[in-house]
Amino acid sequence: MRFSHTLQLNAVPEWVDSYVNYDSLKKIIFQLEKEHVDDLNISTDPELALEHARDGEARFISALDNQLEKVIEFYTHKESELYNMLNKLEAQIEGSEDVSNYGRKNSLAPLEQLDSTYRHPNAIDTEKDDQEHPVKKIDMIAPQRCPSRSSRFSRRASRQSFESRLSMGDDDGLLVERLSDLRSQLILLYISLSELESYIELNRTAFEKILKKYDKVLEGNLKTQYLNKMVLESRPFMPQTMDVLKGQLLRIETSYANTFCGGNRSIALRQMKSHLRDQVTFERNTVWKEMIRQERKANDTKLIEPKVVKTYKIPFTHHRIKSSLLSQLISFTIAIAALIILLLVDCFGEREENYCFALLIFAAIMWATEAMPLYATSCLIPFMIIPMGILRNPDGSVMAAKAAAKSTFSAMFSGTIMMLLGGFALAAALSKYGIAKAFASHVLSRAGTRPMWVLLAIMFVSGFLSMFISNVATPVLCFTLIDPILRTLPDRSRVAPCLILGIALSSCIGGMTSPISSPQNIITIQYMDPNPGWGLWFATALPIAIITMFVCWGLLLLVYKPASDTPHLNTIKPTKEKVTKTQIFICLVVILTIALWCAESSIEDHLGDTGIIATIPLFVFFGTGILNKDDLNNFLWSVVVLAQGGMALGNAVTSSGLLQDIALRLKDGISDLPVIAILAVFCFLILVFATFVSHTVAALIIVPIVMEVGQHLPVPHPNLLVMGAGLACSAGMGLPVSGYPNMSAVMLEDPSGKPYLTTKDFIITGIPTSIISTCLIFTLGYGIMAGIGY
């Protein structure tokens, strides 16, 4: 939670204007930061920039002085008011012998037995009961519970005498009312003094945090000087002031205990804290609701027009349907129609192959059009495979339903899925404990202020982080890292779209760099035998990714020319938190896991599969409490289910014989071509599919076919074609819908509510980068893969 929200939530509502105005001070800091960047871009005179920095610091100190003066004035007034009230109450207690003696003689027992002693079992009329026993009003102020058996016994023994006193006459009734009023005043005064104590702590924390933010954002050294010389030397924040305040609270506890609890301070303290807790709970609940209301109001008042939901009238009815739902219904209808037609047409001469082809086309249409969520379609595939009787035994006979179900489910959970979960665990730990952010901020802080170098640094940071925390989470992290740059840019600066697009495209490129960096890589590895491991994957993917990154960087500089309107950018500050033992432990586990994955081929006889290695981070992180069940729930389970559905479909296509049939027919047309030409054909086919549909869906549908074709070539090269095709899936980045990074980038908006990027931005830079990357895959990539024996 942001500290401004914490301050508002914990503030006393009636005093809210007397607290430090944290938000206004933060706005001054960001304004000074923007002015500093403007000075770098407008003037090269260091003395002038230094003078402006001094003027800015003077403005900020002046604002701090105003806030400090406000706090001192309010505290002095409230302290005097509450202390005078306490003095008057103590004088009233000591000067009123009747109340004091009455409270002492009937202190603990009478006040704690009100519910049991003064409520008749047969009493129905509450109002009449209250008139007969006015002392019950005290219980409504501070209900108590008996502490021991001896006290309960003493209350029963004194019952008759206390009841007889209450029935003596009107004077005793008046005395009870005075006693109730006195008790109420003591409790309210205790609450007010406790809130005054909280007021001091909150404002001291506010000064500490705002000074820390000033030093971090503007690279100053103001916190130590101002905090020690001005804040901590002021009356509200002196240690003596807090000691006096605690002494006043002790006076109230003593007075309350002597008057109402027979001198028992522990019971008195418990009662008053109970009322304080109820008061704070009520105020926080009220303030929190108001905060939510204000946040919703603020978020709804954007400068852009609210999005109008387009609807269509259903013929012959009075109902209307949303355009998005209509599009889904049309896509679903097309998929069902294609399924029915293909089930009736004999395309391959075998019923199992025909049915499997119909299911394959149905799934491809459903995934491509997203008639249903991708993972929902994946859940439907196993249900359709078994009743359609697609799977066959090795001898060619149709597999029984029970055996087919077992085969399908065994294909849906494999070592590849376990590797995917292990990657999620690594990503969650690196993100949760700030390791990825700390690494990125330290690298970017050394990139300087020139836009071209900042762009290159943020692109390589996002590409590198995509290797380990996936290219789904990396863009979100990197977008937050460049926020200090975005908020200081002039209006309509070309730097903002350049940086955001650079992060998106480099995250797509980073999606090909490691086996766990993207879902399509997990699917690709499923069809490679033997598993390439991290070492061989790095050897092939990293050179392609690095060259593509430099090409993309050059295109972005050529298209946007970011230095033309903003020659200098704000510097990203590195995180200054100390390295913890937990962070060191996480890094060691990550390094060990990746090292074992790289060495998987040499230890295969002992571990059997990469999925076994993936259990290490899962067991260690969840077993030691580094990750918990909330982190497990935050895994990208939709991606897991999507991959499982694709594997079930791949198993069906293979078992039915359809894949082999398609591969043999394709082989007849391309067998005379060299392997590099076959790889180029499949790479460009996948590039088109991945650009317009999805990287993952492209891998699910086309990679199995590529594998089968590679196995039936005169000189088989299945791993070469499969790995090349898998890398080509990540090369599709020419549209906003081409992968998770692009979808995240296109949703970002500037402070006025206008999107930073449009489809045109992706087309101009993304399509050339996609084509160059694909060419590198079937040229440079082919050479590397052929060299390692693929």
Side-chain angles (χ1 to χ4, degrees):
M1 182 186 293
R2 290 159 45 192
F3 180 74
S4 57
H5 283 176
T6 303
L7 183 63
Q8 188 175 358
L9 181 62
N10 290 278
V12 180
E14 292 81 5
W15 304 351
V16 69
D17 293 331
S18 302
Y19 287 83
V20 173
N21 195 333
Y22 186 83
D23 283 334
S24 69
L25 292 175
K26 191 165 66 171
K27 287 178 182 177
I28 293 174
I29 293 174
F30 290 155
Q31 180 61 32
L32 294 176
E33 182 187 32
K34 191 174 187 302
E35 291 175 4
H36 173 68
V37 175
D38 291 342
D39 287 340
L40 291 176
N41 292 321
I42 295 172
S43 174
T44 57
D45 187 356
E47 293 185 1
L48 183 61
L50 184 61
E51 183 180 348
H52 286 173
R54 288 174 185 157
D55 292 341
E57 183 173 304
R59 282 162 50 197
F60 182 68
I61 291 176
S62 176
L64 281 175
D65 291 341
N66 292 334
Q67 296 297 320
L68 182 59
E69 184 179 350
K70 176 178 69 174
V71 171
I72 294 172
E73 182 180 351
F74 175 81
Y75 177 81
T76 304
H77 169 73
K78 187 58 65 175
E79 179 190 54
S80 176
E81 176 187 338
L82 295 178
Y83 288 4
N84 287 336
M85 288 176 60
L86 178 56
N87 292 334
K88 290 178 182 179
L89 273 178
E90 281 198 336
Q92 181 181 349
I93 293 172
E94 293 175 0
S96 178
E97 186 178 351
D98 290 340
V99 172
S100 181
N101 291 336
Y102 189 87
R104 289 191 183 98
K105 288 191 293 183
N106 304 279
S107 56
L108 186 60
L111 294 175
E112 289 195 343
Q113 64 172 354
L114 295 173
D115 280 340
S116 59
T117 305
Y118 301 107
R119 186 179 299 277
H120 261 280
N122 298 325
I124 299 176
D125 190 347
T126 306
E127 183 178 355
K128 180 179 177 182
D129 192 54
D130 288 343
Q131 292 173 356
E132 291 177 358
H133 306 291
V135 76
K136 285 173 62 180
K137 297 176 183 176
I138 302 172
D139 185 57
M140 298 172 65
I141 300 173
Q144 306 174 39
R145 292 179 180 172
C146 48
S148 65
R149 294 184 179 179
S150 59
S151 62
R152 289 199 296 269
F153 178 79
S154 64
R155 287 198 296 274
R156 287 196 296 270
S158 62
R159 171 176 178 177
Q160 183 61 39
S161 61
F162 189 56
E163 285 183 336
S164 62
R165 288 193 191 94
L166 287 175
S167 60
M168 282 180 182
D170 294 337
D171 291 341
D172 283 335
L174 181 61
L175 190 61
V176 170
E177 290 184 4
R178 291 175 60 194
L179 191 63
S180 172
D181 183 60
L182 179 62
R183 190 181 192 187
S184 175
Q185 290 184 57
L186 283 171
I187 290 172
L188 291 176
L189 188 57
Y190 179 83
I191 292 174
S192 296
L193 286 173
S194 298
E195 289 174 335
L196 190 63
E197 184 181 21
S198 173
Y199 175 84
I200 296 174
E201 293 293 338
L202 273 175
N203 283 294
R204 177 166 53 229
T205 305
F207 279 116
E208 289 176 354
K209 285 188 171 293
I210 201 64
L211 286 165
K212 180 181 178 182
K213 181 171 284 291
Y214 177 88
D215 288 349
K216 179 181 178 181
V217 172
L218 297 173
E219 297 182 342
N221 190 25
L222 191 60
K223 179 181 177 182
T224 304
Q225 302 174 14
Y226 193 90
L227 198 64
N228 293 334
K229 293 183 180 180
M230 299 297 295
V231 177
L232 298 182
E233 293 296 325
S234 301
R235 175 172 173 74
F237 306 106
M238 289 179 173
Q240 301 92 323
T241 303
M242 184 61 72
D243 293 339
V244 172
L245 180 55
K246 290 181 178 178
Q248 303 304 313
L249 288 168
L250 184 61
R251 286 174 61 191
I252 296 179
E253 294 169 13
T254 304
S255 298
Y256 189 92
N258 291 338
T259 307
F260 299 104
C261 301
N264 193 324
R265 290 188 66 253
S266 62
I267 294 177
L269 188 60
R270 188 177 70 231
Q271 290 179 16
M272 289 189 290
K273 284 191 174 180
S274 174
H275 283 275
L276 176 62
R277 185 167 54 251
D278 292 342
Q279 175 76 7
V280 170
T281 301
F282 171 76
E283 287 181 350
R284 285 189 178 183
N285 185 46
T286 306
V287 171
W288 185 250
K289 288 180 179 178
E290 179 65 18
M291 286 171 60
I292 293 176
R293 187 187 68 80
Q294 292 179 1
E295 287 288 335
R296 287 176 176 171
K297 184 177 179 181
N299 290 333
D300 288 339
T301 54
K302 292 183 178 179
L303 298 180
I304 58 175
E305 296 265 338
K307 187 176 180 180
V308 178
V309 179
K310 192 174 183 180
T311 60
Y312 296 96
K313 186 177 181 297
I314 301 176
F316 311 110
T317 69
H318 299 290
H319 301 288
R320 302 188 70 84
I321 186 172
K322 293 181 180 179
S323 59
S324 58
L325 179 58
L326 179 62
S327 175
Q328 287 181 317
L329 288 175
I330 293 174
S331 300
F332 184 72
T333 302
I334 293 173
I336 290 294
L339 176 67
I340 295 173
I341 292 172
L342 291 173
L343 286 174
L344 299 175
V345 176
D346 186 3
C347 299
F348 296 92
E350 296 285 342
R351 186 190 66 84
E352 293 80 11
E353 292 184 24
N354 288 332
Y355 282 16
C356 189
F357 182 69
L359 177 60
L360 178 64
I361 298 301
F362 170 78
I365 295 174
M366 293 288 286
W367 276 330
T369 60
E370 292 192 48
M372 289 182 180
L374 299 178
Y375 55 87
T377 301
S378 293
C379 291
L380 179 64
I381 288 172
F383 173 78
M384 298 180 68
I385 288 174
I386 310 305
M388 292 173 69
I390 292 174
L391 303 188
R392 293 197 293 196
N393 293 310
D395 60 0
S397 61
V398 178
M399 193 177 293
K402 189 172 182 178
K406 186 176 181 180
S407 174
T408 300
F409 288 128
S410 64
M412 292 180 67
F413 196 93
S414 62
T416 307
I417 295 295
M418 204 66 195
M419 188 174 175
L420 183 61
L421 295 177
F424 288 162
L426 297 180
L430 291 171
S431 299
K432 181 178 181 179
Y433 290 88
I435 299 172
K437 185 174 182 180
F439 165 79
S441 64
H442 277 81
V443 172
L444 294 176
S445 67
R446 291 165 172 78
T449 61
R450 306 286 293 183
M452 61 183 299
W453 302 121
V454 173
L455 174 63
L456 182 63
I458 192 66
M459 288 180 65
F460 270 93
V461 164
S462 59
F464 179 79
L465 292 180
S466 294
M467 295 168 61
F468 305 106
I469 65 172
S470 84
N471 69 342
V472 178
T474 295
V476 179
L477 172 63
C478 291
F479 292 148
T480 60
L481 285 173
I482 63 170
D483 184 63
I485 295 177
L486 297 181
R487 68 174 178 241
T488 57
L489 292 174
D491 295 337
R492 298 181 181 179
S493 172
R494 299 172 67 86
V495 174
C498 181
L499 288 178
I500 294 172
L501 188 58
I503 292 172
L505 297 182
S506 59
S507 296
C508 288
I509 297 168
M512 68 174 67
T513 51
S514 79
I516 63 170
S517 59
S518 59
Q520 58 266 25
N521 292 358
I522 294 290
I523 295 166
T524 301
I525 289 175
Q526 175 74 12
Y527 293 99
M528 296 183 70
D529 186 22
N531 189 310
W534 282 56
L536 294 180
W537 191 282
F538 278 161
T540 305
L542 283 181
I544 298 172
I546 292 172
I547 295 174
T548 304
M549 200 86 72
F550 276 111
V551 169
C552 181
W553 175 60
L555 286 172
L556 287 169
L557 294 178
L558 182 65
V559 172
Y560 288 96
K561 299 180 175 62
S564 60
D565 61 1
T566 315
H568 294 279
L569 304 179
N570 190 24
T571 304
I572 296 176
K573 314 300 186 299
T575 56
K576 296 182 179 180
E577 288 80 6
K578 293 183 179 179
V579 178
T580 63
K581 293 180 180 179
T582 303
Q583 291 175 325
I584 295 174
F585 178 72
I586 290 171
C587 290
L588 291 176
V589 173
V590 171
I591 293 171
L592 173 63
T593 304
I594 294 175
L596 291 175
W597 272 332
C598 291
E600 188 269 338
S601 57
S602 60
I603 58 176
E604 186 177 7
D605 294 338
H606 303 283
L607 295 179
D609 193 271
T610 53
I612 302 300
I613 300 172
T615 60
I616 294 175
L618 289 167
F619 169 75
V620 172
F621 290 155
F622 286 102
T624 57
I626 290 175
L627 299 179
N628 53 38
K629 64 179 181 180
D630 292 331
D631 300 306
L632 182 64
N633 293 337
N634 290 331
F635 280 8
L636 295 174
W637 292 106
S638 58
V639 174
V640 174
V641 174
L642 176 61
Q644 288 179 324
M647 290 174 183
L649 182 59
N651 179 63
V653 172
T654 303
S655 177
S656 66
L658 173 65
L659 198 58
Q660 185 178 6
D661 200 346
I662 292 176
L664 291 173
R665 299 188 184 194
L666 286 174
K667 182 181 74 69
D668 294 338
I670 62 175
S671 58
D672 295 335
L673 296 176
V675 176
I676 188 173
I678 298 173
L679 179 61
V681 170
F682 280 119
C683 282
F684 276 109
L685 174 64
I686 285 185
L687 174 64
V688 173
F689 207 85
T691 300
F692 288 95
V693 184
S694 163
H695 297 170
T696 308
V697 174
L700 287 171
I701 296 174
I702 302 179
V703 167
I705 299 174
V706 173
M707 177 202 69
E708 199 69 19
V709 170
Q711 288 179 343
H712 288 85
L713 289 177
V715 179
H717 292 284
N719 277 1
L720 187 150
L721 294 181
V722 167
M723 189 169 185
L727 295 176
C729 291
S730 298
M733 57 189 93
L735 292 174
V737 296
S738 305
Y740 296 105
N742 289 13
M743 286 186 269
S744 300
V746 79
M747 291 188 292
L748 290 182
E749 298 176 344
D750 63 17
S752 66
K754 181 181 178 182
Y756 283 111
L757 297 174
T758 62
T759 302
K760 179 182 176 182
D761 294 300
F762 287 97
I763 292 175
I764 292 175
T765 308
I767 288 181
T769 304
S770 299
I771 294 173
I772 293 172
S773 178
T774 304
C775 292
L776 286 171
I777 291 170
F778 68 78
T779 53
L780 176 62
Y782 170 81
I784 295 173
M785 288 185 286
I788 61 178
Y790 280 179

